[in-house]
Amino acid sequence: MNPSTSPWGGRFQETPDILLRRFSESVSFDRRLYRQDILGSIAHATMLHEAGLLGAEEREEIVRGLEAIQEEIDQGVFPWSTDWEDLHMNIERALIARTPAGAKLHTGRSRNDQVATALRLWLKEEIDADRAAIQAVQSALVDWAERELDVLLPGYTHLQRAQPVLLAHHLLAYVEMLSRDSDRLREGRQRADVLPLGSGALAGSTLPLDRRRTAELLHFSQVAHNSMDAVSDRDFVVEYLASLALLGTHLSRFAEDLILWSTSEFGFVSLPEAFTTGSSLMPQKKNPDSLELVRGKAARLSGNLLSILILLKGLPLTYNRDLQEDKEALFDSADTALGCLRILAGLIPGVVVHRERCEQAASDPMLLATDLVDWLAHHGMAFREAHHAVGRLVALAESRKVSLAKLSAEDVAPLHPNLPSEWNEIWSPRAAIERRQTEGSSRPSFVRAEIERWRRQLRSE
Protein backbone atom coordinates (compact mmCIF):
# COMPACT_ATOMS: atom_id res chain seq x y z
CA MET A 1 0.00 0.00 0.00
CA ASN A 2 1.35 3.41 -1.01
CA PRO A 3 0.78 6.02 1.76
CA SER A 4 -0.52 8.45 -0.83
CA THR A 5 -3.38 6.09 -1.73
CA SER A 6 -4.62 5.56 1.85
CA PRO A 7 -7.53 7.67 3.10
CA TRP A 8 -5.15 9.61 5.35
CA GLY A 9 -2.14 9.40 3.02
CA GLY A 10 -1.45 13.12 2.81
CA ARG A 11 -0.27 13.22 6.41
CA PHE A 12 1.91 10.11 6.45
CA GLN A 13 5.16 9.29 4.69
CA GLU A 14 5.31 5.64 5.74
CA THR A 15 2.86 2.85 5.13
CA PRO A 16 1.22 1.15 8.11
CA ASP A 17 3.15 -1.84 9.39
CA ILE A 18 1.71 -5.13 8.14
CA LEU A 19 1.14 -6.16 11.76
CA LEU A 20 -1.02 -3.08 12.30
CA ARG A 21 -2.92 -3.70 9.08
CA ARG A 22 -3.73 -7.23 10.14
CA PHE A 23 -4.52 -6.19 13.69
CA SER A 24 -6.79 -3.30 12.81
CA GLU A 25 -8.70 -4.60 9.79
CA SER A 26 -12.43 -5.05 10.18
CA VAL A 27 -13.41 -5.88 6.63
CA SER A 28 -13.38 -9.58 7.50
CA PHE A 29 -16.54 -9.03 9.55
CA ASP A 30 -17.97 -5.58 8.81
CA ARG A 31 -18.46 -6.45 5.14
CA ARG A 32 -21.78 -7.80 6.36
CA LEU A 33 -22.99 -4.19 6.26
CA TYR A 34 -22.32 -3.76 2.53
CA ARG A 35 -25.96 -3.37 1.46
CA GLN A 36 -26.61 -0.75 4.09
CA ASP A 37 -23.34 1.05 3.33
CA ILE A 38 -24.16 1.22 -0.37
CA LEU A 39 -27.72 2.33 0.35
CA GLY A 40 -26.36 5.11 2.55
CA SER A 41 -23.84 6.15 -0.10
CA ILE A 42 -26.50 6.36 -2.81
CA ALA A 43 -28.65 8.55 -0.56
CA HIS A 44 -25.63 10.70 0.30
CA ALA A 45 -24.76 11.14 -3.38
CA THR A 46 -28.35 12.12 -4.15
CA MET A 47 -28.32 14.70 -1.36
CA LEU A 48 -24.94 16.07 -2.54
CA HIS A 49 -26.34 16.50 -6.05
CA GLU A 50 -29.46 18.27 -4.77
CA ALA A 51 -27.25 20.52 -2.63
CA GLY A 52 -25.20 21.50 -5.71
CA LEU A 53 -22.08 19.69 -4.54
CA LEU A 54 -22.22 16.95 -7.19
CA GLY A 55 -23.16 17.12 -10.85
CA ALA A 56 -26.05 15.11 -12.23
CA GLU A 57 -23.76 12.97 -14.39
CA GLU A 58 -21.38 12.44 -11.48
CA ARG A 59 -24.25 11.33 -9.31
CA GLU A 60 -25.43 8.87 -11.99
CA GLU A 61 -21.91 7.45 -12.39
CA ILE A 62 -21.62 6.97 -8.65
CA VAL A 63 -24.99 5.25 -8.41
CA ARG A 64 -24.24 2.95 -11.36
CA GLY A 65 -20.84 2.12 -9.89
CA LEU A 66 -22.26 1.33 -6.46
CA GLU A 67 -25.01 -0.84 -7.92
CA ALA A 68 -22.42 -2.77 -9.94
CA ILE A 69 -20.31 -3.26 -6.81
CA GLN A 70 -23.33 -4.54 -4.89
CA GLU A 71 -24.08 -7.03 -7.64
CA GLU A 72 -20.50 -8.31 -7.49
CA ILE A 73 -20.73 -8.68 -3.72
CA ASP A 74 -24.09 -10.45 -4.02
CA GLN A 75 -22.52 -12.89 -6.49
CA GLY A 76 -19.46 -13.43 -4.27
CA VAL A 77 -16.93 -12.14 -6.82
CA PHE A 78 -16.02 -8.80 -5.23
CA PRO A 79 -12.27 -8.67 -4.36
CA TRP A 80 -12.27 -7.77 -0.68
CA SER A 81 -8.86 -6.81 0.66
CA THR A 82 -7.63 -6.34 4.23
CA ASP A 83 -5.16 -3.77 2.85
CA TRP A 84 -8.13 -1.42 2.75
CA GLU A 85 -9.04 -1.94 6.38
CA ASP A 86 -12.85 -1.90 6.33
CA LEU A 87 -15.79 -2.35 4.01
CA HIS A 88 -16.20 1.39 3.52
CA MET A 89 -12.71 1.85 2.07
CA ASN A 90 -12.99 -1.34 0.01
CA ILE A 91 -16.17 -0.07 -1.62
CA GLU A 92 -14.86 3.47 -2.07
CA ARG A 93 -11.62 2.17 -3.63
CA ALA A 94 -13.59 0.00 -6.06
CA LEU A 95 -15.88 2.91 -6.91
CA ILE A 96 -13.01 5.32 -7.64
CA ALA A 97 -11.47 2.69 -9.94
CA ARG A 98 -14.74 2.72 -11.91
CA THR A 99 -15.30 6.48 -12.08
CA PRO A 100 -13.36 9.60 -11.06
CA ALA A 101 -16.60 10.91 -9.56
CA GLY A 102 -16.19 8.30 -6.83
CA ALA A 103 -13.52 10.51 -5.24
CA LYS A 104 -16.25 13.07 -4.49
CA LEU A 105 -18.57 10.69 -2.68
CA HIS A 106 -16.96 11.23 0.70
CA THR A 107 -17.66 14.96 0.56
CA GLY A 108 -19.07 16.08 3.92
CA ARG A 109 -18.88 12.58 5.32
CA SER A 110 -16.63 10.76 7.79
CA ARG A 111 -16.34 7.07 8.33
CA ASN A 112 -17.53 7.86 11.85
CA ASP A 113 -21.00 8.92 10.77
CA GLN A 114 -20.94 6.55 7.80
CA VAL A 115 -20.52 3.39 9.87
CA ALA A 116 -23.03 4.57 12.47
CA THR A 117 -25.58 5.05 9.69
CA ALA A 118 -24.96 1.63 8.14
CA LEU A 119 -25.16 0.00 11.56
CA ARG A 120 -28.50 1.61 12.35
CA LEU A 121 -29.93 0.66 8.96
CA TRP A 122 -28.80 -2.94 9.48
CA LEU A 123 -30.19 -3.08 13.00
CA LYS A 124 -33.63 -1.87 11.97
CA GLU A 125 -33.84 -4.67 9.39
CA GLU A 126 -32.54 -7.22 11.87
CA ILE A 127 -35.11 -6.26 14.49
CA ASP A 128 -37.88 -6.73 11.94
CA ALA A 129 -36.57 -10.25 11.25
CA ASP A 130 -36.27 -11.01 14.97
CA ARG A 131 -39.82 -9.93 15.69
CA ALA A 132 -41.15 -12.06 12.84
CA ALA A 133 -39.23 -15.06 14.24
CA ILE A 134 -40.59 -14.41 17.74
CA GLN A 135 -44.11 -14.31 16.33
CA ALA A 136 -43.53 -17.69 14.65
CA VAL A 137 -42.60 -19.23 18.02
CA GLN A 138 -45.60 -17.60 19.67
CA SER A 139 -47.91 -18.98 16.99
CA ALA A 140 -46.45 -22.46 17.46
CA LEU A 141 -47.04 -22.21 21.23
CA VAL A 142 -50.62 -21.00 20.77
CA ASP A 143 -51.28 -23.86 18.32
CA TRP A 144 -49.89 -26.32 20.85
CA ALA A 145 -51.97 -24.80 23.66
CA GLU A 146 -55.15 -25.12 21.61
CA ARG A 147 -54.30 -28.65 20.51
CA GLU A 148 -53.81 -29.85 24.12
CA LEU A 149 -56.28 -27.54 25.82
CA ASP A 150 -57.66 -30.19 28.18
CA VAL A 151 -54.30 -31.59 29.36
CA LEU A 152 -53.54 -31.16 33.07
CA LEU A 153 -50.11 -31.30 34.60
CA PRO A 154 -48.54 -30.14 37.86
CA GLY A 155 -47.37 -26.58 38.13
CA TYR A 156 -44.11 -26.27 40.04
CA THR A 157 -42.43 -23.95 42.46
CA HIS A 158 -38.89 -24.71 43.62
CA LEU A 159 -39.14 -27.61 41.13
CA GLN A 160 -41.57 -29.25 43.57
CA ARG A 161 -45.14 -30.08 42.61
CA ALA A 162 -47.33 -27.16 43.65
CA GLN A 163 -50.82 -26.98 42.07
CA PRO A 164 -52.52 -28.45 39.01
CA VAL A 165 -52.62 -26.25 35.91
CA LEU A 166 -53.53 -26.64 32.29
CA LEU A 167 -50.60 -27.36 30.00
CA ALA A 168 -52.03 -24.63 27.77
CA HIS A 169 -51.77 -22.11 30.61
CA HIS A 170 -48.12 -23.05 31.08
CA LEU A 171 -47.38 -22.61 27.38
CA LEU A 172 -49.15 -19.26 27.22
CA ALA A 173 -46.85 -17.99 29.97
CA TYR A 174 -44.03 -18.18 27.43
CA VAL A 175 -46.16 -16.41 24.84
CA GLU A 176 -46.43 -13.55 27.34
CA MET A 177 -42.66 -13.48 27.87
CA LEU A 178 -42.02 -13.43 24.14
CA SER A 179 -44.52 -10.62 23.72
CA ARG A 180 -42.48 -8.48 26.11
CA ASP A 181 -39.33 -9.40 24.18
CA SER A 182 -40.94 -8.29 20.94
CA ASP A 183 -42.10 -5.04 22.53
CA ARG A 184 -38.60 -4.28 23.79
CA LEU A 185 -37.17 -4.84 20.32
CA ARG A 186 -39.84 -2.61 18.79
CA GLU A 187 -39.03 0.16 21.25
CA GLY A 188 -35.31 -0.26 20.61
CA ARG A 189 -35.94 0.03 16.89
CA GLN A 190 -37.55 3.41 17.45
CA ARG A 191 -34.41 4.66 19.18
CA ALA A 192 -32.22 3.22 16.43
CA ASP A 193 -34.30 5.08 13.84
CA VAL A 194 -32.14 8.23 14.04
CA LEU A 195 -29.84 9.39 11.23
CA PRO A 196 -26.23 10.20 12.23
CA LEU A 197 -25.06 10.98 8.67
CA GLY A 198 -24.06 14.61 8.27
CA SER A 199 -22.43 14.75 11.68
CA GLY A 200 -19.03 14.30 10.08
CA ALA A 201 -16.19 13.13 12.27
CA LEU A 202 -17.73 14.85 15.31
CA ALA A 203 -18.49 18.52 14.66
CA GLY A 204 -20.80 18.63 11.63
CA SER A 205 -19.86 20.20 8.31
CA THR A 206 -19.30 23.65 6.79
CA LEU A 207 -20.93 22.38 3.60
CA PRO A 208 -24.66 22.93 2.89
CA LEU A 209 -25.71 19.34 3.61
CA ASP A 210 -29.42 18.61 3.88
CA ARG A 211 -29.56 15.99 6.61
CA ARG A 212 -33.34 15.84 6.64
CA ARG A 213 -33.35 15.01 2.94
CA THR A 214 -30.89 12.18 3.57
CA ALA A 215 -33.09 10.94 6.41
CA GLU A 216 -36.07 10.97 4.05
CA LEU A 217 -34.17 8.98 1.43
CA LEU A 218 -33.06 6.39 3.98
CA HIS A 219 -36.44 6.26 5.79
CA PHE A 220 -35.13 7.49 9.12
CA SER A 221 -37.81 9.16 11.23
CA GLN A 222 -35.47 11.80 12.64
CA VAL A 223 -31.91 13.15 12.55
CA ALA A 224 -29.45 13.12 15.45
CA HIS A 225 -29.53 16.42 17.35
CA ASN A 226 -25.93 16.39 18.57
CA SER A 227 -23.08 15.55 16.20
CA MET A 228 -20.73 14.47 18.99
CA ASP A 229 -23.26 12.07 20.42
CA ALA A 230 -24.29 10.86 16.98
CA VAL A 231 -20.88 9.42 16.02
CA SER A 232 -20.12 7.87 19.42
CA ASP A 233 -23.55 6.64 20.47
CA ARG A 234 -23.88 2.87 20.70
CA ASP A 235 -26.79 2.84 23.10
CA PHE A 236 -28.92 1.31 20.36
CA VAL A 237 -26.47 -1.60 20.17
CA VAL A 238 -26.56 -2.07 23.94
CA GLU A 239 -30.36 -1.98 24.00
CA TYR A 240 -30.54 -4.54 21.22
CA LEU A 241 -28.07 -6.85 22.94
CA ALA A 242 -29.93 -6.43 26.24
CA SER A 243 -33.21 -7.33 24.55
CA LEU A 244 -31.62 -10.42 23.00
CA ALA A 245 -30.01 -11.43 26.29
CA LEU A 246 -33.41 -11.38 28.00
CA LEU A 247 -35.00 -13.13 25.03
CA GLY A 248 -32.30 -15.78 25.32
CA THR A 249 -33.06 -16.17 29.02
CA HIS A 250 -36.73 -16.78 28.25
CA LEU A 251 -35.93 -19.28 25.50
CA SER A 252 -33.52 -21.02 27.85
CA ARG A 253 -36.19 -21.37 30.52
CA PHE A 254 -38.58 -22.85 27.98
CA ALA A 255 -35.89 -25.22 26.74
CA GLU A 256 -35.24 -26.34 30.31
CA ASP A 257 -38.92 -27.10 30.85
CA LEU A 258 -38.99 -29.27 27.73
CA ILE A 259 -35.74 -30.99 28.70
CA LEU A 260 -37.16 -31.87 32.12
CA TRP A 261 -40.54 -32.92 30.74
CA SER A 262 -38.88 -35.25 28.23
CA THR A 263 -36.86 -37.16 30.86
CA SER A 264 -37.94 -40.60 32.01
CA GLU A 265 -38.45 -39.15 35.48
CA PHE A 266 -41.11 -36.71 34.23
CA GLY A 267 -42.24 -38.43 31.05
CA PHE A 268 -44.67 -35.68 30.08
CA VAL A 269 -43.52 -35.30 26.47
CA SER A 270 -41.43 -36.86 23.74
CA LEU A 271 -39.34 -34.63 21.49
CA PRO A 272 -39.30 -34.98 17.69
CA GLU A 273 -36.40 -37.12 16.52
CA ALA A 274 -35.43 -34.54 13.90
CA PHE A 275 -34.42 -32.18 16.72
CA THR A 276 -32.63 -34.71 18.92
CA THR A 277 -29.39 -36.66 18.66
CA GLY A 278 -28.01 -39.98 19.80
CA SER A 279 -24.95 -41.12 21.69
CA SER A 280 -21.74 -42.38 20.10
CA LEU A 281 -21.56 -44.98 22.88
CA MET A 282 -25.03 -45.66 24.28
CA PRO A 283 -27.45 -46.86 21.58
CA GLN A 284 -30.58 -46.21 23.63
CA LYS A 285 -30.01 -42.47 24.05
CA LYS A 286 -32.21 -39.75 22.57
CA ASN A 287 -30.64 -36.49 23.66
CA PRO A 288 -32.31 -33.06 23.59
CA ASP A 289 -29.21 -31.41 22.11
CA SER A 290 -31.10 -28.68 20.25
CA LEU A 291 -32.73 -27.54 23.50
CA GLU A 292 -29.48 -27.82 25.42
CA LEU A 293 -27.84 -25.58 22.83
CA VAL A 294 -30.65 -23.05 23.13
CA ARG A 295 -30.05 -23.10 26.86
CA GLY A 296 -26.29 -22.78 26.40
CA LYS A 297 -26.45 -20.00 23.84
CA ALA A 298 -28.36 -17.83 26.30
CA ALA A 299 -25.07 -17.46 28.18
CA ARG A 300 -23.43 -16.28 24.98
CA LEU A 301 -26.10 -13.61 24.49
CA SER A 302 -25.56 -12.34 28.03
CA GLY A 303 -21.79 -12.37 27.53
CA ASN A 304 -22.00 -10.29 24.37
CA LEU A 305 -24.08 -7.68 26.19
CA LEU A 306 -21.56 -7.50 29.00
CA SER A 307 -18.62 -7.15 26.60
CA ILE A 308 -20.17 -4.07 24.94
CA LEU A 309 -21.06 -2.46 28.26
CA ILE A 310 -17.46 -2.85 29.39
CA LEU A 311 -16.22 -1.62 26.01
CA LEU A 312 -18.20 1.62 26.31
CA LYS A 313 -17.80 2.46 29.96
CA GLY A 314 -14.40 4.18 29.72
CA LEU A 315 -14.61 5.91 26.34
CA PRO A 316 -14.33 9.70 26.19
CA LEU A 317 -16.25 11.59 23.54
CA THR A 318 -16.33 11.16 20.66
CA TYR A 319 -15.38 8.34 18.31
CA ASN A 320 -12.67 5.93 19.44
CA ARG A 321 -11.38 2.94 17.53
CA ASP A 322 -12.56 0.70 20.35
CA LEU A 323 -16.02 1.02 18.82
CA GLN A 324 -14.92 -1.24 15.99
CA GLU A 325 -15.24 -4.05 18.52
CA ASP A 326 -19.01 -3.63 18.74
CA LYS A 327 -19.77 -5.48 15.52
CA GLU A 328 -18.60 -9.03 16.16
CA ALA A 329 -20.59 -9.24 19.41
CA LEU A 330 -23.56 -7.61 17.72
CA PHE A 331 -23.55 -9.90 14.70
CA ASP A 332 -22.98 -12.97 16.85
CA SER A 333 -25.93 -12.19 19.11
CA ALA A 334 -28.20 -11.46 16.15
CA ASP A 335 -27.31 -14.78 14.50
CA THR A 336 -27.53 -16.71 17.76
CA ALA A 337 -30.94 -15.39 18.78
CA LEU A 338 -32.44 -15.87 15.34
CA GLY A 339 -31.05 -19.40 15.20
CA CYS A 340 -32.60 -20.28 18.57
CA LEU A 341 -35.99 -18.91 17.56
CA ARG A 342 -36.00 -20.84 14.30
CA ILE A 343 -35.02 -24.07 16.04
CA LEU A 344 -37.88 -23.74 18.52
CA ALA A 345 -40.42 -22.80 15.86
CA GLY A 346 -39.44 -26.00 14.04
CA LEU A 347 -39.34 -28.22 17.12
CA ILE A 348 -42.56 -27.26 18.92
CA PRO A 349 -45.07 -28.69 16.39
CA GLY A 350 -43.42 -32.11 16.67
CA VAL A 351 -43.63 -32.46 20.46
CA VAL A 352 -45.82 -35.38 21.56
CA VAL A 353 -47.64 -35.00 24.89
CA HIS A 354 -48.15 -38.09 27.06
CA ARG A 355 -51.54 -37.13 28.38
CA GLU A 356 -52.02 -40.02 30.83
CA ARG A 357 -48.64 -39.38 32.46
CA CYS A 358 -49.43 -35.68 32.82
CA GLU A 359 -52.88 -36.46 34.25
CA GLN A 360 -51.44 -38.97 36.71
CA ALA A 361 -48.91 -36.43 37.99
CA ALA A 362 -51.56 -33.71 38.24
CA SER A 363 -53.85 -36.02 40.26
CA ASP A 364 -51.58 -36.09 43.30
CA PRO A 365 -53.88 -34.93 46.14
CA MET A 366 -51.04 -32.95 47.70
CA LEU A 367 -51.40 -30.47 44.80
CA LEU A 368 -54.82 -29.52 46.20
CA ALA A 369 -53.75 -28.80 49.77
CA THR A 370 -54.07 -25.08 49.02
CA ASP A 371 -57.61 -25.66 47.76
CA LEU A 372 -58.39 -27.21 51.13
CA VAL A 373 -57.01 -24.12 52.87
CA ASP A 374 -59.18 -21.96 50.60
CA TRP A 375 -62.24 -24.09 51.44
CA LEU A 376 -61.68 -23.57 55.16
CA ALA A 377 -61.09 -19.84 54.71
CA HIS A 378 -64.27 -19.61 52.64
CA HIS A 379 -66.13 -21.30 55.50
CA GLY A 380 -64.99 -18.80 58.10
CA MET A 381 -61.62 -20.01 59.38
CA ALA A 382 -58.77 -17.47 59.46
CA PHE A 383 -56.37 -18.15 56.61
CA ARG A 384 -53.28 -18.59 58.76
CA GLU A 385 -55.16 -20.94 61.11
CA ALA A 386 -56.41 -22.91 58.09
CA HIS A 387 -52.89 -23.06 56.66
CA HIS A 388 -51.54 -24.59 59.89
CA ALA A 389 -54.45 -26.99 60.20
CA VAL A 390 -53.94 -28.35 56.68
CA GLY A 391 -50.23 -28.56 57.34
CA ARG A 392 -50.95 -30.82 60.28
CA LEU A 393 -53.18 -32.99 58.07
CA VAL A 394 -50.38 -33.28 55.51
CA ALA A 395 -47.99 -34.40 58.25
CA LEU A 396 -50.57 -36.91 59.50
CA ALA A 397 -51.04 -38.38 56.01
CA GLU A 398 -47.31 -38.69 55.53
CA SER A 399 -46.88 -40.40 58.90
CA ARG A 400 -49.54 -42.96 57.91
CA LYS A 401 -48.07 -43.29 54.41
CA VAL A 402 -51.41 -42.54 52.75
CA SER A 403 -52.49 -39.80 50.40
CA LEU A 404 -54.08 -36.70 51.84
CA ALA A 405 -57.38 -37.63 50.19
CA LYS A 406 -57.49 -40.96 52.09
CA LEU A 407 -57.73 -39.49 55.57
CA SER A 408 -60.88 -40.46 57.41
CA ALA A 409 -63.92 -38.37 58.29
CA GLU A 410 -62.83 -38.55 61.95
CA ASP A 411 -59.46 -37.03 60.98
CA VAL A 412 -60.94 -34.04 59.17
CA ALA A 413 -64.16 -33.38 61.10
CA PRO A 414 -62.45 -31.25 63.79
CA LEU A 415 -61.56 -28.67 61.13
CA HIS A 416 -65.18 -27.98 60.12
CA PRO A 417 -68.43 -29.96 60.59
CA ASN A 418 -69.30 -29.75 56.88
CA LEU A 419 -65.88 -30.88 55.68
CA PRO A 420 -66.43 -34.69 55.81
CA SER A 421 -69.44 -34.49 53.48
CA GLU A 422 -67.53 -32.47 50.92
CA TRP A 423 -64.16 -34.12 51.43
CA ASN A 424 -64.16 -36.30 48.34
CA GLU A 425 -65.22 -33.46 46.03
CA ILE A 426 -62.17 -31.40 46.94
CA TRP A 427 -59.70 -33.84 45.39
CA SER A 428 -60.68 -33.61 41.74
CA PRO A 429 -57.97 -31.61 39.94
CA ARG A 430 -60.34 -30.77 37.08
CA ALA A 431 -62.95 -29.48 39.48
CA ALA A 432 -60.18 -27.54 41.23
CA ILE A 433 -59.12 -25.61 38.15
CA GLU A 434 -62.78 -24.93 37.30
CA ARG A 435 -63.08 -23.31 40.74
CA ARG A 436 -60.39 -20.76 39.88
CA GLN A 437 -62.07 -17.36 39.80
CA THR A 438 -59.26 -14.83 39.38
CA GLU A 439 -58.57 -13.32 35.98
CA GLY A 440 -55.34 -14.71 34.54
CA SER A 441 -55.70 -18.07 36.31
CA SER A 442 -55.69 -21.57 34.83
CA ARG A 443 -59.49 -21.86 34.66
CA PRO A 444 -60.29 -23.48 31.29
CA SER A 445 -62.68 -20.76 30.15
CA PHE A 446 -60.04 -18.11 30.88
CA VAL A 447 -57.38 -20.08 29.01
CA ARG A 448 -59.64 -20.55 25.99
CA ALA A 449 -60.26 -16.80 25.96
CA GLU A 450 -56.52 -16.16 26.13
CA ILE A 451 -55.89 -18.45 23.17
CA GLU A 452 -58.43 -16.51 21.16
CA ARG A 453 -56.96 -13.20 22.27
CA TRP A 454 -53.50 -14.27 21.16
CA ARG A 455 -54.88 -15.55 17.87
CA ARG A 456 -56.34 -12.12 17.15
CA GLN A 457 -53.25 -10.28 18.29
CA LEU A 458 -50.81 -12.38 16.29
CA ARG A 459 -52.97 -12.07 13.18
CA SER A 460 -53.01 -8.29 13.50
CA GLU A 461 -49.22 -7.91 13.84
Side-chain angles (χ1 to χ4, degrees):
M1 175 187 289
N2 187 319
S4 65
T5 62
S6 73
W8 56 85
R11 165 65 177 81
F12 288 80
Q13 302 302 312
E14 295 184 15
T15 61
D17 189 284
I18 189 171
L19 290 175
L20 176 59
R21 296 207 302 270
R22 290 174 178 170
F23 185 66
S24 65
E25 68 83 19
S26 61
V27 68
S28 58
F29 53 85
D30 68 13
R31 68 176 72 174
R32 181 168 180 162
L33 300 173
Y34 76 91
R35 285 193 309 102
Q36 292 78 18
D37 185 68
I38 289 173
L39 188 65
S41 290
I42 290 174
H44 185 63
T46 299
M47 183 275 297
L48 289 176
H49 166 60
E50 293 176 359
L53 297 169
L54 200 63
E57 187 174 339
E58 290 175 318
R59 186 258 177 198
E60 290 303 317
E61 289 178 3
I62 287 172
V63 170
R64 283 197 300 271
L66 289 170
E67 289 174 345
I69 289 169
Q70 178 166 332
E71 187 174 349
E72 289 182 14
I73 299 174
D74 289 341
Q75 294 175 355
V77 296
F78 183 78
W80 297 105
S81 172
T82 56
D83 285 342
W84 294 95
E85 196 170 74
D86 59 25
L87 93 148
H88 315 293
M89 294 314 302
N90 268 264
I91 291 174
E92 183 176 316
R93 173 190 59 83
L95 179 63
I96 292 171
R98 284 167 167 77
T99 172
K104 293 187 176 184
L105 177 60
H106 211 55
T107 302
R109 184 172 73 170
S110 165
R111 281 188 295 172
N112 296 357
D113 59 351
Q114 183 180 0
V115 66
T117 299
L119 206 55
R120 287 173 181 268
L121 284 170
W122 177 87
L123 187 58
K124 290 198 297 178
E125 293 179 14
E126 196 67 24
I127 287 173
D128 292 342
D130 293 339
R131 295 189 68 217
I134 288 172
Q135 186 175 345
V137 176
Q138 289 179 296
S139 295
L141 287 169
V142 171
D143 287 344
W144 185 6
E146 188 169 38
R147 192 167 59 246
E148 310 286 357
L149 183 57
D150 61 334
V151 174
L152 279 176
L153 79 171
Y156 292 81
T157 64
H158 308 276
L159 204 54
Q160 305 294 316
R161 288 179 181 174
Q163 293 179 280
V165 296
L166 289 174
L167 169 61
H169 192 55
H170 191 121
L171 298 175
L172 292 179
Y174 285 106
V175 179
E176 294 284 345
M177 293 184 207
L178 290 170
S179 179
R180 296 193 295 272
D181 293 321
S182 184
D183 286 347
R184 272 184 287 272
L185 287 167
R186 175 180 49 79
E187 292 161 5
R189 190 189 191 282
Q190 292 172 352
R191 282 183 285 279
D193 193 22
V194 179
L195 176 72
L197 204 59
S199 299
L202 77 161
S205 176
T206 61
L207 296 169
L209 307 180
D210 187 348
R211 297 187 64 214
R212 296 193 180 279
R213 173 58 174 153
T214 307
E216 180 184 1
L217 292 168
L218 291 174
H219 304 291
F220 280 99
S221 63
Q222 57 182 310
V223 299
H225 295 296
N226 185 292
S227 60
M228 297 180 73
D229 178 57
V231 298
S232 59
D233 171 31
R234 293 297 184 273
D235 289 2
F236 63 98
V237 173
V238 173
E239 283 193 70
Y240 179 63
L241 294 180
S243 296
L244 293 191
L246 189 48
L247 168 64
T249 298
H250 292 154
L251 299 183
S252 178
R253 294 182 69 185
F254 176 63
E256 174 65 3
D257 270 342
L258 288 186
I259 290 168
L260 287 172
W261 290 354
S262 67
T263 61
S264 300
E265 287 72 19
F266 279 76
F268 294 166
V269 302
S270 291
L271 302 176
E273 288 191 359
F275 290 89
T276 59
T277 65
S279 165
S280 62
L281 176 66
M282 297 168 283
Q284 83 281 11
K285 294 297 294 298
K286 180 183 175 184
N287 298 326
D289 284 26
S290 59
L291 294 171
E292 290 171 350
L293 286 170
V294 168
R295 189 176 61 187
K297 287 177 186 294
R300 191 161 160 178
L301 294 171
S302 296
N304 285 337
L305 167 62
L306 185 60
S307 72
I308 299 303
L309 287 170
I310 294 171
L311 171 73
L312 293 173
K313 76 174 187 62
L315 296 186
L317 286 177
T318 55
Y319 182 83
N320 296 270
R321 190 63 180 274
D322 313 48
L323 293 176
Q324 176 177 299
E325 294 298 307
D326 63 354
K327 293 172 195 61
E328 289 182 284
L330 175 62
F331 295 156
D332 180 67
S333 282
D335 293 343
T336 298
L338 203 53
C340 290
L341 288 165
R342 287 170 176 167
I343 281 288
L344 291 176
L347 178 148
I348 288 168
V351 176
V352 174
V353 176
H354 302 305
R355 301 165 71 92
E356 290 184 5
R357 184 68 176 263
C358 293
E359 191 87 22
Q360 179 186 20
S363 297
D364 180 355
M366 287 296 188
L367 274 67
L368 297 176
T370 304
D371 287 64
L372 179 56
V373 174
D374 287 346
W375 188 95
L376 292 169
H378 190 69
H379 286 74
M381 185 179 291
F383 174 82
R384 190 53 61 195
E385 182 184 346
H387 189 283
H388 284 291
V390 174
R392 289 192 294 271
L393 284 184
V394 169
L396 177 63
E398 288 180 342
S399 69
R400 293 181 181 175
K401 295 182 170 37
V402 298
S403 78
L404 188 59
K406 296 299 182 183
L407 292 176
S408 67
E410 291 76 15
D411 294 325
V412 303
L415 275 68
H416 193 282
N418 294 339
L419 185 56
S421 62
E422 297 189 30
W423 182 253
N424 291 331
E425 297 177 16
I426 291 174
W427 306 111
S428 165
R430 292 204 174 273
I433 63 168
E434 289 286 357
R435 288 194 294 268
R436 302 286 180 255
Q437 298 186 44
T438 52
E439 184 178 355
S441 71
S442 190
R443 183 172 179 163
S445 60
F446 294 161
V447 175
R448 280 193 293 271
E450 279 298 288
I451 289 172
E452 287 306 311
R453 180 178 74 85
W454 278 116
R455 284 266 183 242
R456 292 192 300 272
Q457 184 166 325
L458 292 171
R459 280 196 299 265
S460 67
E461 290 180 354

